[in-house]
Amino acid sequence: MTRTRRSARPRHHRIRTFAGAGVIAVIAAVVVPLGYRSMETPSGTAAPADSAAPVTPDTPDASAPAPRTSSPRREHGGPVGEADGVVPDGTTVFDDATPAVAELDAELLEALREAAADAAAHGVEFQVNSGWRAAAYQEQLLREAVGEHGSVAEAARWVATPETSPHVSGDAVDIGGSDAQTWLFEHGAAYGLCPVYRNEPWHYELRTEAVDGRCPPMYADPTHDPRMQS
Ligand SMILES: [Zn+2]
């Protein structure tokens, strides 16, 4: 994920609508007698993800229950940082000291550096917006995406789980800016660098079979990727 995609989507409206629904749900839960409440959540049926978590840290609500303190599940405590794959501004594919770059699959990194060197000759610089990510960082991104998109199902269109994300395995990189994305879209296949998802033009992975030809067809979004079915 990158910052660039955020501006392209009308998420504020979605979040506001969603927060409103959350308030109604909370009021209903308080006002409606217990007997009726049980009808709202039929036994044996999991509540829809988007109605189960009406309160996120981003939308504090005085009428809602106090936020649980256990939400960040960091194994070794503290916020995620560069060692977990957070990318400092201005990072390039040549930054060996940055774990997000250094921990990428060696073949992917080699292909990226070859492509970046050739692109630079045409005045195009690859920025790394995301690369390798520790599981804890991926988990945090997923939590944030659920809060941002309002449901687990919608978040899955943008952020994978730590178990399925190719970023966690070091097999994916998110490249910016737009001129670099355009250059890669046109020339990446020659290096085995292929876009994978139509909704994420910044996300590239190595497809060695593409080196002599074309990249495989893209998925509309990660939910169509068989690797994400776990
Ligand atoms: Zn990505």
Side-chain angles (χ1 to χ4, degrees):
M1 57 184 282
T2 67
R3 290 164 199 88
T4 50
R5 74 166 169 81
R6 292 170 185 263
S7 59
R9 288 174 296 102
R11 67 188 172 106
H12 297 294
H13 176 71
R14 168 175 280 281
I15 288 172
R16 209 176 299 124
T17 306
F18 163 69
V23 171
I24 292 166
V26 169
I27 292 170
V30 172
V31 173
V32 177
L34 279 174
Y36 287 93
R37 280 187 68 191
S38 65
M39 293 175 65
E40 294 179 0
T41 51
S43 57
T45 308
D50 56 356
S51 68
V55 179
T56 72
D58 295 334
T59 56
D61 180 344
S63 68
R68 296 191 188 95
T69 52
S70 61
S71 51
R73 291 191 294 127
R74 197 79 217 287
E75 252 113 55
H76 45 101
V80 296
E82 217 175 298
D84 301 291
V86 174
V87 177
D89 283 346
T91 296
T92 76
V93 297
F94 299 103
D95 287 332
D96 278 324
T98 305
V101 173
E103 298 295 324
L104 286 172
D105 171 76
E107 275 186 79
L108 170 61
L109 190 51
E110 192 184 334
L112 280 168
R113 287 175 172 176
E114 262 184 64
D118 292 347
H122 295 89
V124 174
E125 188 184 69
F126 291 7
Q127 298 158 29
V128 174
N129 288 336
S130 198
W132 167 82
R133 299 171 189 154
Y137 183 26
Q138 187 71 28
E139 259 185 44
Q140 175 180 300
L141 293 174
L142 185 56
R143 276 198 305 275
E144 288 171 357
V146 172
E148 182 179 330
H149 296 284
S151 75
V152 172
E154 185 64 16
R157 295 185 59 234
W158 302 97
V159 181
T161 67
E163 291 74 30
T164 58
S165 173
H167 283 281
V168 173
S169 60
D171 293 314
V173 65
D174 295 343
I175 294 292
S178 59
D179 58 340
Q181 289 170 12
T182 301
W183 193 94
L184 265 178
F185 193 82
E186 290 172 1
H187 306 286
Y191 305 85
L193 296 169
C194 293
V196 180
Y197 306 120
R198 285 202 294 274
N199 69 332
E200 298 185 13
W202 49 83
H203 179 105
Y204 274 79
E205 298 184 30
L206 191 65
R207 296 287 181 269
T208 48
E209 70 270 25
V211 171
D212 295 321
R214 302 162 67 90
C215 286
M218 297 166 73
Y219 301 110
D221 65 52
T223 62
H224 297 266
D225 184 347
R227 296 176 301 171
M228 299 298 133
Q229 318 302 324
S230 63

